[in-house]
Amino acid sequence: MHVMLLFPPNWTPAMPHLALPTLTAFLRGHGLRVTQRDLNIEVFETVLTRRFVERMLYRLRREYGPHAERRSTRRVAPSRDLVVKALRSGPAIAARIERAKKILRSPAFFDGPVGREALMTIVDALQIASLPFFPAALEMGAYRPARTADSTRNILSEVRDPQVNMLIDLFARGVVADIEREQPDVVGISIPSMGQMIPGLTIAALIKDRGLPCHVTVGGPHITMLRERLAKSPGIFSLIDSAVVFDGEVPLLRLCEALAGNGDLSRVPNLIYRDGDAIRVTARKEPEKIGALPLPDFDGLPLDRYLAPHLTLPLLSARGCHFGKCAFCNVGYGEAENFSLMRSEMLAEQMVMLHRRYATQHIFFSDEALTPRTLRELSLTLERDGVPVLWGGCARFEKTLTADLLQQMYRGGCRMMLFGLESASEAIMSRMVKGTKLEHMHRILRESTAAGIWNHTFFFFGFPGETLDDAQQTVNFLYEHRDHIHSAALGTFLLEIDAPAHRFPESFGITRVIDPPEKDLAIYFDYEVSTGMDSAMADLVETRFMETMPVKPFPQFYVNDVYRFLYACHLSRQGAPLPPLLARQDTGAEVTVA
């Protein structure tokens, strides 16, 4: 039985995703032949070439004229100024692409002006390469389709529309030609996010249109979120044969065994599958405990091609979230949470094995939140054994994150922590069921910075019931800690499927959830609230705050979590201070957001 596992675009090109290596290790451990392909980095490798960009410039000149003097006949076209800029600067940008990629893959990335120029070359090249498919675009950390993947109609239209889908030709010439040649029995497509629905199902459509005999299955968090909706969307099953929901190791193994046997899929757990004209759903199986899973297997991935100065590999210390109650988060996807934690000694062993096997010195934990116990035991073990690996990951503002523990974490290799701040209003934190206290947030940010750890914070505006005063409290907190926060990700509240706020809207002041029938595959919903800001005001607050943010002279260090983490590691090695996100204001004046 030959299984080919595919990871489609809509992910950072700086690091592999953990989904395929986890499945690959499990299936190979049970004797299956597995080929894993990270199509995300493969697409970047193809597009970010002089030849590809020059081909796209030729298409632009043919469609718009050598000076963009012709109007396009396309339904949606880019502005003339954008096309003119591309035609003028494109040849020079194409000539610099190879050098830019080499810089991002080398220590020269950390040279501020040099790294900045390389990043901007890559960004400009991606924009030029995407213009013939406008409004779809391949960006540094995302593939943005022309249509949102929240409806069967949009998906079925875009996966076969070469006018806006640049991936059709790339996949047809690449991975689908390889599938036709290698003839795997099963093609598994990982779809962790909505942004990967159209890329992933473009592959599926090409396979079906060529009449290839392999069984096409999809899985991942996004598929799990859609499990009830997919069962009512037979149109998607014109592209795929089945969908695996929740954790996929055992279900995918059982699927392969069933296909190799009598073909009866009814006993395969966690499966939605097509049976003639019917869509059937099988019983759910409890997930494997993380301690029972093998070390992720990255063999076969092009680890030397990721666009980062040092190889960084992802790892998990646990499955699920040890808190699992936040009202805005859909961890567990509406089902009872099955949290399982790996023993810290085993986790340290895995880090050592990845270091020895792949020569990596950087591990980024993909956990929802590392537990204080893991942080304490892991850092003690790594310091004691002198493991030459630096690491980072997410954590909650827990009372038990003391100054002594944070210093121990630094000695044990921690260089970056990502904290879910969300809001600095006690009233909103309580409404969110965050389970954290403002006093601990104040202390931990200061003590973490003193320990030498880069603090990254997540926060957003517009949780139901939040007022302008609540939002101002968050902004004031950020400026109070301007020397203790080194990067941040901000946004506005999204009502996500299966989150407590979606399942029990009345409990959170949501008076109406808007779920139009034409968006049959939606996972985010518009809503109305009884009190506080609406979504439009939240957007305005976010915009006003963004306008106050200082411009970074070297933005390459802030593009994604991997670059931030590697920059923090680099500064640590240099003995250099960590730069604050917000410049110090000697006047001490607060910023007003609205």
Side-chain angles (χ1 to χ4, degrees):
M1 174 69 68
H2 179 195
V3 182
M4 183 177 285
L5 299 177
L6 308 176
F7 187 82
N10 199 58
W11 177 250
T12 172
M15 178 180 75
H17 194 278
L18 193 55
L20 298 196
T22 300
L23 290 170
T24 296
F26 186 85
L27 296 178
R28 284 175 176 168
H30 285 80
L32 274 66
R33 177 189 169 199
V34 181
T35 301
Q36 56 178 333
R37 298 275 295 268
D38 185 347
L39 301 181
N40 185 66
I41 193 60
E42 289 186 23
V43 165
F44 277 100
E45 276 285 272
T46 301
V47 171
L48 290 174
T49 60
R50 180 171 187 164
R51 179 181 179 184
F52 189 91
V53 172
E54 288 178 344
R55 278 178 51 208
M56 296 304 105
L57 287 170
Y58 172 77
R59 286 186 57 166
L60 289 174
R61 285 191 292 269
R62 187 177 61 188
E63 182 171 356
Y64 297 96
H67 305 291
E69 66 273 13
R70 289 200 296 267
R71 292 176 60 89
S72 174
T73 58
R74 298 165 62 92
R75 184 174 59 86
V76 180
S79 69
R80 182 176 183 275
D81 288 346
L82 200 57
V83 178
V84 169
K85 178 184 174 184
L87 292 175
R88 287 177 177 173
S89 62
I93 290 169
R96 297 197 302 266
I97 289 177
E98 293 302 328
R99 180 176 182 272
K101 290 191 295 184
K102 288 180 180 178
I103 289 170
L104 294 188
R105 292 175 177 143
S106 77
F109 170 84
F110 299 112
D111 181 313
V114 173
R116 179 182 57 203
E117 181 184 3
L119 173 69
M120 296 314 299
T121 295
I122 296 298
V123 169
D124 290 342
L126 291 173
Q127 184 182 69
I128 293 169
S130 301
L131 273 180
F133 307 94
F134 188 88
L138 178 65
E139 298 173 353
M140 192 61 179
Y143 176 76
R144 304 194 186 281
R147 306 170 182 89
T148 55
D150 57 4
S151 76
T152 300
R153 179 179 180 180
N154 283 356
I155 291 171
L156 294 179
S157 174
E158 186 142 349
V159 296
R160 292 188 173 97
D161 186 351
Q163 188 176 60
V164 295
N165 190 340
M166 71 188 303
L167 301 175
I168 293 175
D169 184 61
L170 294 176
F171 289 157
R173 294 170 181 265
V175 65
V176 176
D178 295 339
I179 291 171
E180 191 167 14
R181 183 180 66 254
E182 297 178 25
Q183 299 184 358
D185 302 286
V186 175
V187 172
I189 304 171
S190 179
I191 302 183
S193 67
M194 178 187 281
Q196 287 161 306
M197 276 291 276
I198 285 173
L201 294 179
T202 295
I203 304 165
L206 286 165
I207 291 172
K208 293 304 179 185
D209 290 349
R210 291 195 183 187
L212 304 183
C214 52
H215 182 100
V216 178
T217 189
V218 296
H222 188 70
I223 297 301
T224 300
M225 283 188 269
L226 289 175
R227 62 194 182 279
E228 295 181 1
R229 293 178 172 238
L230 277 177
K232 302 172 184 176
S233 302
I236 295 298
F237 286 86
S238 67
L239 306 176
I240 63 175
D241 300 300
S242 67
V244 175
V245 298
F246 295 101
D247 297 295
E249 291 84 9
V250 171
L252 188 53
L253 175 63
R254 297 288 175 257
L255 174 63
C256 292
E257 292 171 345
L259 293 171
N262 61 11
D264 180 12
L265 303 186
S266 64
R267 297 179 180 273
V268 177
N270 297 18
L271 197 70
I272 308 171
Y273 67 98
R274 183 180 58 191
D275 181 14
D277 294 331
I279 306 299
R280 306 198 183 281
V281 181
T282 65
R284 185 188 173 193
K285 177 192 179 300
E286 293 299 312
E288 295 297 291
K289 300 295 184 182
I290 191 169
L293 297 176
L295 177 75
D297 188 344
F298 295 88
D299 289 359
L301 295 180
L303 298 182
D304 61 335
R305 307 315 294 162
Y306 289 90
L307 295 176
H310 301 293
L311 174 64
T312 303
L313 294 181
L315 196 59
L316 271 178
S317 74
R319 280 194 153 172
C321 178
H322 65 281
F323 183 71
K325 299 176 184 177
C326 297
F328 53 83
C329 180
N330 71 348
V331 63
Y333 310 113
E335 300 287 342
E337 176 71 322
N338 286 282
F339 178 74
S340 65
L341 181 67
M342 187 182 297
R343 290 183 300 106
S344 299
E345 297 85 352
M346 181 178 180
L347 185 61
E349 290 172 5
Q350 288 200 347
M351 295 174 73
V352 171
M353 292 169 68
L354 290 177
H355 168 66
R356 291 175 177 171
R357 188 167 179 176
Y358 303 108
T360 184
Q361 295 181 325
H362 302 86
I363 298 292
F364 195 90
F365 287 103
S366 301
D367 296 66
E368 297 286 343
L370 292 155
T371 69
R373 174 183 173 181
T374 295
L375 293 170
R376 180 177 64 254
E377 294 177 352
L378 179 65
S379 55
L380 281 168
T381 300
L382 294 175
E383 182 190 19
R384 181 196 67 201
D385 297 344
V387 178
V389 174
L390 302 180
W391 52 275
C394 297
R396 287 169 45 79
F397 283 112
E398 307 266 9
K399 179 180 179 180
T400 49
L401 286 184
T402 63
D404 287 344
L405 174 52
L406 291 162
Q407 291 166 15
Q408 175 62 61
M409 287 161 54
Y410 183 87
R411 293 196 301 271
C414 179
R415 294 297 180 268
M416 178 178 174
M417 277 283 103
L418 300 89
F419 292 108
L421 169 69
E422 323 309 358
S423 172
S425 162
E426 290 273 23
I428 297 304
M429 290 163 60
S430 175
R431 197 176 179 98
M432 290 177 176
V433 199
K434 273 292 295 179
T436 52
K437 297 292 185 182
L438 202 56
E439 60 183 294
H440 303 317
M441 292 158 56
H442 282 292
R443 176 185 58 78
I444 290 168
L445 287 172
R446 293 188 177 102
E447 293 175 349
S448 181
T449 298
I453 295 172
W454 181 292
N455 291 323
H456 179 85
T457 61
F458 301 96
F459 65 97
F460 59 86
F461 300 112
F463 188 80
E466 184 178 34
T467 65
L468 286 174
D469 181 65
D470 293 318
Q472 188 67 56
Q473 290 179 50
T474 300
V475 172
N476 294 347
F477 178 92
L478 295 168
Y479 273 87
E480 180 181 353
H481 291 281
R482 56 192 164 220
D483 292 334
H484 312 123
I485 296 174
H486 309 102
S487 58
L490 69 154
T492 57
F493 171 70
L494 294 174
L495 183 60
E496 189 171 32
I497 194 169
D498 289 333
H502 175 247
R503 296 172 63 209
F504 312 107
E506 299 86 359
S507 300
F508 299 95
I510 297 174
T511 57
R512 180 184 173 215
V513 176
I514 302 169
D515 187 4
E518 65 271 16
K519 295 186 176 183
D520 60 320
L521 297 179
I523 63 166
Y524 301 112
F525 305 95
D526 291 331
Y527 58 92
E528 296 174 357
V529 294
S530 56
T531 61
M533 295 186 288
D534 59 16
S535 57
M537 179 57 72
D539 289 338
L540 177 61
V541 170
E542 180 198 18
T543 300
R544 288 289 303 274
F545 181 79
M546 287 296 295
E547 290 170 351
T548 72
M549 297 282 284
V551 176
K552 293 297 179 185
F554 305 121
Q556 70 270 24
F557 302 138
Y558 301 87
V559 169
N560 55 53
D561 289 341
V562 178
Y563 288 175
R564 286 186 282 264
F565 168 57
L566 291 177
Y567 184 44
C569 295
H570 172 76
L571 293 174
S572 172
R573 292 186 175 107
Q574 299 295 313
L578 301 176
L581 174 67
L582 301 171
R584 178 177 294 278
Q585 295 183 346
D586 295 332
T587 63
E590 294 179 346
V591 171
T592 302
V593 298

